[in-house]
């Protein structure tokens, strides 16, 4: 026997709306934090570069002021040397060149772009042994030789700039992280509080037992309206199915009560009498009532099936050619027509008569119309099934030359359990009701008319699958 604890441990966790919302919020927020850190670092680096560039320009200006006559001999004053070489994180670099005497003093060879005399220091990027540097250069007249111009270039490495940027980032990142944690906490509180809006709805649904009425929309949030509307549609289908079930049970109880009571009565006759004539008569009654009960049950099932909401609508049906289907259905009933003494015929066209429909339900329509004509026209009469087409519809008709139906009862044909008064033939009154129900499923129109020969004519006007031009019904 499998261990239930292990199977429960392998079961995936139930989906959680709260967890899903928080996950969808957490991942973007963490992404924003990472992006903010990257942007913050570059902003801090830009600020650090600006501060160091200003200092570097000031160093170039200060050096130009501190250079004395010793510079031409390759020496610097102590103040200038301290200014240039003092760097707690590395060293600075400098070069002083004279237009007349060439390079006069330096601790590195720095190539500088050309600048105007007495112009502000010019900042530029350079390298020293593949080491990136930031430099400032300027040209000033020599104090000791009016015809000479000194070019002063100072440079520094970039380590201090990046160190300052990292310090700024490390100062701001904890505050940003704390702010994001606070935002996530507030989001969690908001999601938890927002989900409480579902509590009245869940409480109201929990109090239901067998109530399938619509949920309604008075306390339903807009975001879950599609869900509740889908549930309302499901409730409607269930109410329809339960209504069909209850109607079927009531109809079956009503229609089967009489034949079942008759069968019971004639079975008692069989057990109580030894007269062969009476026993034969009772057996005949039992057989006739059993056939009636079976036919009633079959037609009740057929009627309930045609009213089922699970059947496809017209758009979900297939194309059917009545010019092919109807003659085949009529041919299958020829032997029954011969046994009943009815002249069964077909009139149609060789042109396609395409409709959208359910083949089994169309067969059910033909069978019920032919059965109805057989029962009420009677032996020795003619039953004709015809198919014709028009511009936008296809006509299926069944007519007979029997006694017909009075005008007062034509409007009641198709009602459940209605039978024309004065007709001796056994029937359930469900055949034409089934035809009406199937026709409604196919968006077809049913007409009950007097036939030219005096009997009943039943017409079904089906919408054509495609418009049929230049044709008319005859």
């Amino acid at each position: 026997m499998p261990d239930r604890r292990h199977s429960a441990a392998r079961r995936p966790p139930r989906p959680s709306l709260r967890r899903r919302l928080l996950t969808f919020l957490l991942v973007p927020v963490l992404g924003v934090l990472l992006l903010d850190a990257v942007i913050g670092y570059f902003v801090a680096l830009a600020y650090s570069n600006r501060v160091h560039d200003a200092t570097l320009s000031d160093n170039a200006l200060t050096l130009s002021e501190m250079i004395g006559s010793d510079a031409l001999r390759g020496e610097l004053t102590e103040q200038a040397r301290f200014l240039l070489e003092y760097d707690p994180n590395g060293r600075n670099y400098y070069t002083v060149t004279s237009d007349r005497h060439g390079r006069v003093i330096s601790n590195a060879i720095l190539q500088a772009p050309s600048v105007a005399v007495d112009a502000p220091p010019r900042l530029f990027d350079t390298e020293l042994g593949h080491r990136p540097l930031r430099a400032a250069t300027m040209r000033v007249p020599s104090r000791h030789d009016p015809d000479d111009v000194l070019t002063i270039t100072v440079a520094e490495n970039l380590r201090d700039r990046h160190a300052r940027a990292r310090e700024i980032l490390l100062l701001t990142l904890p505050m940003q992280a704390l702010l994001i944690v606070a935002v996530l906490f507030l989001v969690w509180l908001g999601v938890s509080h927002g989900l409480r809006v579902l509590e009245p709805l869940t409480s109201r649904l929990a109090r239901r037992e067998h109530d399938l009425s619509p949920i309604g929309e008075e306390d339903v949030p807009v975001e879950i309206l599609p869900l509740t509307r889908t549930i309302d549609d499901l409730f409607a289908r269930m109410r329809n199915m339960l209504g069909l079930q209850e109607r079927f049970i009531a109809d079956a109880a009503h229609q089967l009560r009489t034949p079942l009571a008759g069968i019971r009565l004639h079975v008692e006759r069989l057990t109580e009498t030894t007269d062969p004539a009476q026993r034969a008569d009772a057996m005949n009654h039992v057989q006739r009532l059993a056939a009636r009960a079976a036919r009633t049950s079959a037609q009740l099932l057929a009627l309930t099936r045609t009213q089922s909401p699970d059947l496809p609508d017209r758009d979900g049906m297939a194309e059917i050619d009545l010019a092919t289907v109807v003659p085949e259905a009529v041919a299958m009933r020829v032997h029954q027509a011969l046994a009943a003494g009815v002249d069964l015929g077909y009139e149609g066209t060789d042109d396609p008569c395409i409709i959208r429909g359910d083949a089994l339900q169309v067969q059910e329509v033909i069978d019920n119309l032919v059965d109805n004509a057989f029962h009420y026209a009677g032996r020795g009469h003619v039953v004709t099934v015809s198919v014709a087409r028009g511009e936008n519809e296809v006509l299926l008709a069944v007519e007979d030359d029997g006694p017909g139906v009075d005008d007062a009862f034509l409007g009641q044909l198709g009602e459940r359990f209605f039978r024309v008064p004065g007709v001796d033939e056994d029937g359930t009154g469900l055949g034409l009701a089934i035809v009406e129900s199937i026709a409604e499923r196919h968006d077809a129109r049913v007409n009950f008319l007097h036939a030219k020969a005096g009997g009943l004519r039943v017409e079904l006007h089906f919408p054509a699958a495609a418009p049929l031009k230049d044709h008319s019904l005859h």
Side-chain angles (χ1 to χ4, degrees), residues 75-86:
E75 298 179 3
L76 286 175
T77 64
E78 291 298 327
Q79 295 88 345
R81 188 178 298 278
F82 177 81
L83 171 69
L84 293 173
E85 294 184 352
Y86 176 74

Side-chain angles (χ1 to χ4, degrees), residues 223-384:
E223 290 77 11
I224 65 170
L225 272 179
L227 174 62
T228 58
R229 288 170 179 170
T230 302
I231 295 175
D232 284 343
D233 292 339
L234 176 62
F235 283 174
R237 291 195 295 272
M238 292 181 65
R239 290 196 304 271
N240 192 7
M241 293 296 295
L242 291 175
L244 289 175
Q245 180 182 4
E246 293 173 357
R247 183 183 299 176
F248 173 80
I249 293 173
D251 292 342
H254 179 268
Q255 293 298 313
L256 296 179
R257 182 185 298 114
T258 299
L260 291 178
I263 290 174
R264 179 179 179 181
L265 175 64
H266 291 294
V267 168
E268 290 177 353
R269 287 180 57 197
L270 283 171
T271 59
E272 292 175 357
T273 183
T274 58
D275 184 3
Q278 290 188 3
R279 290 177 64 86
D281 180 68
M283 183 59 69
N284 288 334
H285 278 84
V286 168
Q287 292 177 344
R288 183 172 60 84
L289 291 172
R292 178 182 173 185
R295 177 174 174 78
T296 300
S297 300
Q299 290 202 310
L300 281 172
L301 287 172
L303 180 61
T304 303
R305 188 166 53 248
T306 62
Q307 297 173 338
S308 173
D310 295 331
L311 293 175
D313 56 13
R314 184 169 175 262
D315 292 336
M317 297 177 180
E319 291 188 350
I320 301 174
D321 186 3
L322 292 187
T324 302
V325 172
V326 175
E328 294 175 353
V330 173
M332 294 174 61
R333 304 300 297 270
V334 170
H335 68 284
Q336 184 180 357
L338 293 175
V342 175
D343 182 5
L344 177 62
Y346 169 75
E347 295 179 357
T349 175
D350 294 332
D351 296 327
C353 297
I354 308 297
I355 67 168
R356 296 193 68 85
D358 182 275
L360 294 178
Q361 291 189 1
V362 171
Q363 181 69 45
E364 189 81 22
V365 166
I366 298 171
D367 289 341
N368 277 280
L369 290 178
V370 171
D371 285 342
N372 186 76
F374 283 0
H375 277 88
Y376 296 109
R379 181 175 295 274
H381 289 276
V382 177
V383 175
T384 303

Side-chain angles (χ1 to χ4, degrees), residues 34 49 58 91 104 146 155 163 182 260-261 275 283 340 391 394 438 441:
L34 179 61
N49 284 333
D58 291 341
R91 52 181 311 195
V104 292
L260 291 178
D275 184 3
M283 183 59 69
E391 182 177 352
V394 176
I438 295 176
R441 279 278 183 180

Side-chain angles (χ1 to χ4, degrees), residues 52-62 121-123 136 138 154:
H52 280 75
D53 284 349
T55 303
L56 197 60
S57 297
D58 291 341
N59 288 344
L61 290 171
T62 304
R122 177 177 177 181
L123 296 164
M138 62 182 301
V154 294

Side-chain angles (χ1 to χ4, degrees), residues 368-417:
N368 277 280
L369 290 178
V370 171
D371 285 342
N372 186 76
F374 283 0
H375 277 88
Y376 296 109
R379 181 175 295 274
H381 289 276
V382 177
V383 175
T384 303
V385 182
S386 62
V387 174
R389 72 177 190 177
E391 182 177 352
N392 295 307
E393 66 178 12
V394 176
L395 172 64
L396 169 64
V398 177
E399 65 176 277
D400 61 74
D401 62 350
V405 179
D406 291 340
D407 291 336
F409 303 119
L410 279 178
Q412 295 179 267
L413 297 179
E415 295 180 2
R416 294 156 58 91
F417 307 117

Side-chain angles (χ1 to χ4, degrees), residues 111-130:
Q111 299 296 329
S114 61
V115 294
V117 178
D118 286 335
R122 177 177 177 181
L123 296 164
F124 63 96
D125 295 319
T126 186
E127 288 185 352
L128 180 63
H130 302 292

